[in-house]
Amino acid sequence: MPMNLTNRILIGMALGLVVGFAIQGFPLPDFFQTFFVETVARGGGDIFLRLLRMMVVPLVLVSLTCGAASLGATGKVGRLGGKTIGLYLMTTAIAVSLALGMALIIDPGLGVGEVAGATYEAREAPDIVETIVKIFPANPVQAMADGQMLQVIVFAVLLGLALNAAGEAGGRVRSFFDDLNEIFMKLITMVIHVTPYGVFCLMVTLGSRVGFAEIAKLGVYFFTVAFTLVMHLTLVYPTLLKVFTGLNPLTYLRKMREPMLVAFSTSSSGATLPVTLRTVEKRVGVSNNVASFAVPLGATINMDGTAIMQGVATVFIAQFYGIALGVDDFLLVILTATMASIGTAAVPGVGLIMLTMVLDQVGLPIEGIGLIIGVDRLLDMMRTAVNVTGDGMVATTVAASENELDKSVFEDPEAGRVYEN
Ligand code: ASP
């Protein structure tokens, strides 16, 4: 009986963790330790991450060019862009507010004993004009080589619009891009087949290193972030999806399990992007026009899980140092964390660096980050899973409102599923 991919990824994850924990508890002789953890597991995990990253720029360029060309014909580009960005900002602001509320109820920073600190450099809020100017690529090839996603997105949208406007010549190139898009989707499916092995390797490395002592010391902080992430995933997203679209949120969450698992294991919404895009199109039923724009944009600017960590961390650090925050400070945190989410690169651990910006705005000591760094690895995994689920949720909502969602695909549990014998 063929086993579906989600189950195989789950098995890879569980086995990897068991092996990793076992290695941590009962260290192997040096030779095997080096061979198995440093060579096989780390090498395998890195290859898997590289295969995912390999797909990101080509996929976004081709898929979004096709999407923008179709949208250009309907004249919907502006409206769609406005809706998508508006929803991304709204869900992030809700996420920080929820995090601040939960942290103020649970008080994670009160009564915490000594925690080993680390020094941290403050990150200044970027200049707004420069940030906007830098969205436009001076050299698209450079933008692709550097993986500058916002610049690649702008270039692809403009190229798609030009394809649509260029009559016969546009039509010829357009059909080439459409074919290339199909081929890239196949390529992702091929990469997706190795996911269980990649996840196994990543989990062995994680399990052999995870610091249980730190987690125990910062248990309340850890629990507050984790609990708020779960609340956002299981209450806020489902409610928004139901209210805006009337769709069954459980069906949506079930279909998003694979991107969630890949995001959890890689801690990178950027690396997960090919899997998210494929899932949102082929399993959830969002048209290429909407998915190709909303998903890459979301992976770049929408980080609800990261914003949740930042909200809880701000309250935690304020309480730890005994600094009182007023209502105006909380409003500033909501604003800065929402902006920081836009500026956070979709790779592991950057959310913590961007937290310096939030702390700086409300005058909290940035050394506070040293307190929570020990448990950030695991929280990064969880928040990245929430980040990608939020991207898909907004893409689905926008698609439903624009008549760009294929309900028969959404309702078919088998649609777009990857099987393995
Ligand atoms: N790892 C997160 C992501 O890629 C970003 C972060 O919170 O550090 O979505």
Side-chain angles (χ1 to χ4, degrees), residues 1 47 175 241 278 305 337:
M1 151 102 181
I47 292 174
S175 53
L241 197 67
R278 183 190 177 280

Side-chain angles (χ1 to χ4, degrees), residues 267-270 303 306 344-352 380 383-384 387:
S267 296
S268 166
S269 22
M303 312 254 168
T306 303
T344 304
V347 292
V350 180
L352 205 62
D380 194 6
R383 67 181 182 248
T384 308
N387 289 347

Side-chain angles (χ1 to χ4, degrees), residues 66-212:
C66 298
S70 310
L71 282 177
T74 63
K76 289 203 276 198
V77 178
R79 198 175 65 219
L80 205 122
K83 262 191 203 175
T84 312
I85 295 173
L87 277 171
Y88 279 145
L89 293 179
M90 184 185 98
T91 51
T92 309
I94 294 177
V96 206
S97 313
L98 181 70
L100 290 174
M102 291 307 296
L104 289 172
I105 294 172
I106 302 179
D107 291 332
L110 298 185
V112 180
E114 274 295 292
V115 183
T119 48
Y120 239 89
E121 291 260 313
R123 177 143 178 148
E124 291 198 359
D127 178 55
I128 191 93
V129 177
E130 197 185 295
T131 311
I132 294 173
V133 168
K134 278 202 180 145
I135 294 176
F136 298 89
N139 177 348
V141 178
Q142 179 94 47
M144 285 182 237
D146 294 344
Q148 290 286 345
M149 287 323 289
L150 286 178
Q151 295 190 1
V152 177
I153 289 173
V154 168
F155 179 66
V157 170
L158 294 177
L159 185 64
L161 294 179
L163 276 189
N164 175 57
E168 256 182 54
R172 282 193 299 272
V173 177
R174 166 96 197 260
S175 53
F176 169 72
F177 266 68
D178 280 336
D179 288 350
L180 206 53
N181 194 26
E182 277 305 303
I183 296 166
F184 282 164
M185 281 289 166
K186 277 277 165 304
L187 194 50
I188 298 169
T189 314
M190 284 159 62
V191 174
I192 286 179
H193 273 110
V194 302
T195 304
Y197 307 101
V199 166
F200 171 81
C201 292
L202 291 171
M203 290 301 109
V204 170
T205 313
L206 175 85
S208 65
R209 294 203 182 130
V210 66
F212 290 108

Side-chain angles (χ1 to χ4, degrees), residues 85-103 228-229 231-233 235-241 243-244 302-312 330-331 333-335 337-339 341 386 393-394:
I85 295 173
L87 277 171
Y88 279 145
L89 293 179
M90 184 185 98
T91 51
T92 309
I94 294 177
V96 206
S97 313
L98 181 70
L100 290 174
M102 291 307 296
T228 314
L229 288 172
M231 267 181 80
H232 198 69
L233 191 80
L235 291 177
V236 176
Y237 288 149
T239 309
L240 292 177
L241 197 67
V243 170
F244 285 138
N302 181 54
M303 312 254 168
D304 297 351
T306 303
I308 286 176
M309 175 279 285
Q310 292 175 342
V312 177
F330 289 124
L331 290 177
V333 172
I334 296 174
L335 192 73
T338 307
M339 293 303 138
S341 144
V386 172
M393 199 284 292
V394 168

